[in-house]
Amino acid sequence: MKFGKFIIALLLILGTTTACNDFLNVLPSTEKEKDEMFSTVDGCRSVLIGSYIRMKQTNLYGEEMVCGTVENLAQHWTYNAGSVGEYLNKYDYKAAVVETAMGNIYNNLYKVVADVNGLLSGIEQHRSVLDDTNYNLIKGEALGLRAFCHLDVLRLFGPMPNNVPTSKVLPYVTTVTNRPNAFLSYSEFTTQLLKDLDEAETCLKDDPVRSKSIEALNKDAASEDNFFTARQLRMNYYAVCALKARAYLWMGNKEKALAYAKLVIDAKTPEGNAMFRLGTRDDCSRGDKSLSAEHVFNLKANDLSKTLGTGRTYQKPKTELTARLYEAGTSDIRFVNLWEEVNISYYNRPFYFQKYTQTEKMPTLSKNVIPLIRLSEMYLIAIESSPLADANAYYATFCTARDVTPTTMANDSERIDLLVKEYNKEFYGEGQAFYAYKRLGASTIFWTSVPGSVETYVVPLPKDEAVYVN
């Protein structure tokens, strides 16, 4: 893929956005630059790639939204006294360092939204530049990314799904403007989100990932035009379907959540094989600890060993982790392969997290990638949304892959307890456990005496944004 001067110009544009409400409104410095950027197919593609570049920065999905801030809210990491981690673990949202951290996340999520809004506007104004294949692929990915970021804004800063207010909650931004964006009600926000996902699904109906397997597409990556390869690295058709499952579950529509989760679970290659499969112990033995065979959507981050892969410390003794999540002596691949106890001294034995450790023997597809949507989440959605008999069958399949003996859920109370544990075990270091607590309305959060409540789960809006709510 040739980006040339277009990607350079794009990065200059991305680097000039400012704070306050400006981050919702990214405008190219001149209309001439904008017209030039969208005057070729490569230019349009480069603007799309720029959105992914933004997402993989450490202030978003390169760290904070995956293995940083959001994981502190789930009580998953050790923190130093006086650090932002300490205040996050206390859910002290009034602390200055927390206000800054959360403001940065809000800021940067909407910067991605602004990027894709500029792209969507540009390709419409220069429609003749793109053939139908490129147009639909670029538009579908952009709409999917816009929905992805808005859903995370909702999950972090929005209300608990079981306690939705009638007041305005958040802006759903679909245009590039220099005016403050209107805040919408929860219903208006989610309606717009689903509209984007529906349109993205339609645009991506002929996604190359539906006509070739992930492996075949990646083998084609050496071709002259690799824009249509490595689809798991982008917002592909199945990623949109998985995102719809995630969104519908958040909104309480379990019927549609299940339908879309099953669509991903049951997806087949043209040869009739599973498009995605649950990872196993064999994958971990090859160094593929993020289980790339499950990745429906991920991001490539070439410096991963310097950010997420350096090892993070669990704040309790090893026995506390087993007491909360695992049985003593468990064979669960998530415990056996993702944690390492380091004997520094007889009184200090830190427990290091190894999911993102990079090794030379890792398969190519698993190197330097950060999973944003995995097949395992679709299984947990199916477990939550199915009748109990079906839920137990899904759970049995899931447990087989994780090398554990499944328990049988006898009622919904047991199902919820099981799901809370599984979201913590499965997505440790991926930023999903806190959202599960919030969505399920859990009154108890592991490893803290702070009760789960509206005050715990709803992160306040940045002060600069709160003035626009009404």
Side-chain angles (χ1 to χ4, degrees):
M1 196 186 309
K2 299 177 181 178
F3 301 144
K5 63 182 179 180
F6 296 105
I7 199 67
I8 296 172
L10 171 70
L11 292 174
L12 290 173
I13 290 169
L14 295 183
T16 58
T17 54
T18 57
C20 198
N21 205 54
D22 291 346
F23 57 75
L24 301 182
N25 321 301
V26 181
L27 290 168
S29 57
T30 68
E31 287 301 314
K32 182 179 179 180
E33 284 183 5
K34 179 179 178 182
D35 287 339
E36 182 181 1
M37 188 165 290
F38 290 106
S39 65
T40 67
V41 174
D42 276 350
C44 295
R45 291 175 174 181
S46 296
V47 179
L48 173 63
I49 298 304
S51 301
Y52 292 103
I53 291 172
R54 171 95 70 192
M55 290 179 70
K56 72 179 186 179
Q57 301 305 304
T58 56
N59 52 31
L60 277 180
Y61 299 98
E63 185 169 1
E64 294 305 329
M65 290 292 286
V66 172
C67 211
T69 297
V70 180
E71 284 294 89
N72 280 110
L73 294 176
Q75 306 293 323
H76 281 178
W77 301 132
T78 297
Y79 54 83
N80 295 321
S83 69
V84 64
E86 178 181 14
Y87 294 106
L88 287 168
N89 277 260
K90 295 177 180 178
Y91 306 102
D92 182 359
Y93 297 123
K94 294 182 180 180
V97 288
V98 173
E99 288 184 346
T100 298
M102 292 304 181
N104 286 338
I105 287 175
Y106 187 92
N107 177 320
N108 287 300
L109 284 170
Y110 277 112
K111 282 182 179 179
V112 178
V113 170
D115 292 343
V116 297
N117 284 343
L119 168 62
L120 289 166
S121 174
I123 62 174
E124 294 301 334
Q125 293 174 27
H126 300 77
R127 178 65 180 87
S128 61
V129 171
L130 299 170
D131 59 29
D132 287 347
T133 298
N134 276 283
Y135 173 79
N136 284 318
L137 202 66
I138 292 172
K139 183 176 181 179
E141 287 188 43
L143 289 168
L145 292 179
R146 186 164 77 182
F148 185 93
C149 290
H150 275 108
L151 180 57
D152 274 358
V153 171
L154 182 67
R155 294 199 295 174
L156 194 56
F157 297 94
M160 296 174 66
N162 62 358
N163 189 31
V164 175
T166 58
S167 59
K168 306 293 186 181
V169 292
L170 291 163
Y172 199 100
V173 185
T174 59
T175 60
V176 180
T177 176
N178 56 9
R179 298 179 179 179
N181 290 276
F183 277 63
L184 305 179
S185 68
Y186 182 87
S187 175
E188 291 169 332
F189 186 100
T190 53
T191 296
Q192 183 60 58
L193 190 152
L194 292 175
K195 179 182 177 183
D196 273 355
L197 287 173
D198 286 342
E199 191 172 0
E201 183 181 359
T202 299
C203 287
L204 294 172
K205 62 183 177 63
D206 296 321
D207 190 326
V209 79
R210 303 192 73 189
S211 58
K212 286 188 176 183
S213 67
I214 296 292
E215 290 77 10
L217 286 169
N218 280 277
K219 287 179 181 178
D220 292 343
S223 64
E224 182 178 350
D225 186 352
N226 63 9
F227 189 71
F228 303 104
T229 63
R231 295 299 296 155
Q232 82 282 3
L233 290 171
R234 305 242 294 280
M235 181 57 70
N236 61 77
Y237 172 80
Y238 291 113
V240 168
C241 293
L243 186 57
K244 291 183 86 168
R246 179 186 286 179
Y248 275 123
L249 187 68
W250 188 266
M251 298 170 198
N253 190 332
K254 292 185 177 181
E255 180 180 357
K256 288 192 174 182
L258 176 61
Y260 277 99
K262 288 176 65 176
L263 190 154
V264 179
I265 292 170
D266 298 335
K268 297 290 191 293
T269 68
E271 297 76 28
N273 301 317
M275 179 66 71
F276 310 98
R277 65 168 176 81
L278 289 170
T280 65
R281 183 176 300 281
D282 288 342
D283 293 298
C284 292
S285 68
R286 291 190 290 270
D288 186 359
K289 296 183 179 182
S290 73
L291 306 177
S292 61
E294 299 185 5
H295 294 192
V296 184
F297 174 36
N298 64 26
L299 291 177
K300 188 82 169 180
N302 291 328
D303 58 349
L304 199 61
S305 60
K306 298 178 182 178
T307 54
L308 308 189
T310 54
R312 289 176 181 251
T313 313
Y314 174 68
Q315 73 259 36
K316 303 291 184 182
K318 179 179 179 180
T319 52
E320 175 66 10
L321 185 62
T322 56
R324 290 288 187 181
L325 299 181
Y326 299 96
E327 297 179 355
T330 183
S331 60
D332 194 317
I333 65 172
R334 295 165 296 185
F335 180 79
V336 174
N337 294 282
L338 301 187
W339 297 95
E340 179 183 0
E341 190 173 35
V342 180
N343 296 325
I344 296 177
S345 66
Y346 74 92
Y347 61 89
N348 187 6
R349 295 162 63 100
F351 209 30
Y352 284 109
F353 184 66
Q354 301 291 314
K355 181 176 286 186
Y356 299 110
T357 300
Q358 304 294 295
T359 65
E360 292 183 359
K361 69 176 182 178
M362 294 174 69
T364 301
L365 290 183
S366 66
K367 289 182 179 178
N368 290 310
V369 291
I370 302 169
L372 298 187
I373 305 177
R374 287 199 289 123
L375 180 64
S376 57
E377 182 182 355
M378 299 301 104
Y379 270 87
L380 293 185
I381 290 174
I383 291 166
E384 184 172 349
S385 304
S386 300
L388 271 174
D390 293 340
N392 279 305
Y394 279 116
Y395 189 52
T397 301
F398 179 82
C399 286
T400 297
R402 298 302 182 253
D403 200 9
V404 293
T405 302
T407 57
T408 299
M409 296 168 280
N411 52 55
D412 284 338
S413 177
E414 291 183 2
R415 173 166 26 193
I416 296 302
D417 289 344
L418 180 146
L419 285 165
V420 168
K421 279 193 173 184
E422 289 298 339
Y423 270 97
N424 275 277
K425 287 189 284 188
E426 188 65 22
F427 301 109
Y428 217 112
E430 293 184 42
Q432 298 299 325
F434 177 73
Y435 301 135
Y437 281 127
K438 181 174 180 176
R439 180 177 54 76
L440 294 169
S443 59
T444 300
I445 301 171
F446 294 155
W447 307 294
T448 181
S449 60
V450 179
S453 65
V454 172
E455 291 73 21
T456 305
Y457 292 131
V458 180
V459 178
L461 291 171
K463 290 179 180 178
D464 288 343
E465 286 302 305
V467 298
Y468 296 108
V469 174
N470 295 317

